[in-house]
Amino acid sequence: MTSAVPRPARAPLVRLLLRLAVVAAVTESGYLHAKLYVNGYRFIPHIGVMFLIQAAVSFAVAALLLVADEPVLQLMAAGTALGALGGFVLSRTVGVWGFTERGFQPHPDALVSVLVEAAALALLLAGALWTWRGRPRR
């Protein structure tokens, strides 16, 4: 069964909604990193600066995605999410400059951060697949 609105007519709306969802996820990740920085991570050598940079870059990428739907910005959004997830995994396994944590501490920010970063990646993938499927075939 097909929908009442043909795919080409709804494609811009779907792309916009996916982009706004990515903006929300990247913004939330930035907010969580800024919050953790202010609430104590700023005193951890090297780690505090990394949290501040993660927050700043996340906010900047989200703001740019609000005004432009460019592939390079989507790659940057994926990079911020992958970087945060990579840091999370490293901090719970081998450590980062001697800094380690266990589980999903601090609660609930660690879990929420992982979820919004995974959501950002899933939404970016969905947007890429949506765009790729909509391209004319040769």
Side-chain angles (χ1 to χ4, degrees), residues 14-96:
V14 171
R15 289 287 311 149
L16 175 64
L17 292 175
L18 284 169
R19 183 165 47 114
L20 292 176
V22 169
V23 167
V26 172
T27 301
E28 178 64 16
S29 175
Y31 167 76
L32 289 168
H33 283 85
K35 176 182 160 189
L36 289 169
Y37 172 81
V38 168
N39 290 337
Y41 278 59
R42 67 178 177 239
F43 299 114
I44 304 170
H46 306 294
I47 303 302
V49 172
M50 292 171 66
F51 268 68
L52 187 59
I53 290 169
Q54 177 70 26
V57 170
S58 294
F59 290 142
V61 169
L64 290 170
L65 272 172
L66 273 177
V67 296
D69 189 15
E70 296 295 327
V72 69
L73 296 175
Q74 294 163 9
L75 286 173
M76 290 170 69
T80 63
L82 286 170
L85 287 171
F88 182 87
V89 169
L90 288 174
S91 72
R92 275 128 181 101
T93 54
V94 298
V96 181

Side-chain angles (χ1 to χ4, degrees), residues 76-124:
M76 290 170 69
T80 63
L82 286 170
L85 287 171
F88 182 87
V89 169
L90 288 174
S91 72
R92 275 128 181 101
T93 54
V94 298
V96 181
W97 286 299
F99 176 77
T100 58
E101 290 185 301
R102 300 255 183 256
F104 285 99
Q105 297 301 321
H107 177 77
D109 296 327
L111 177 60
V112 174
S113 180
V114 168
L115 291 175
V116 297
E117 288 141 11
L121 292 171
L123 291 162
L124 287 162

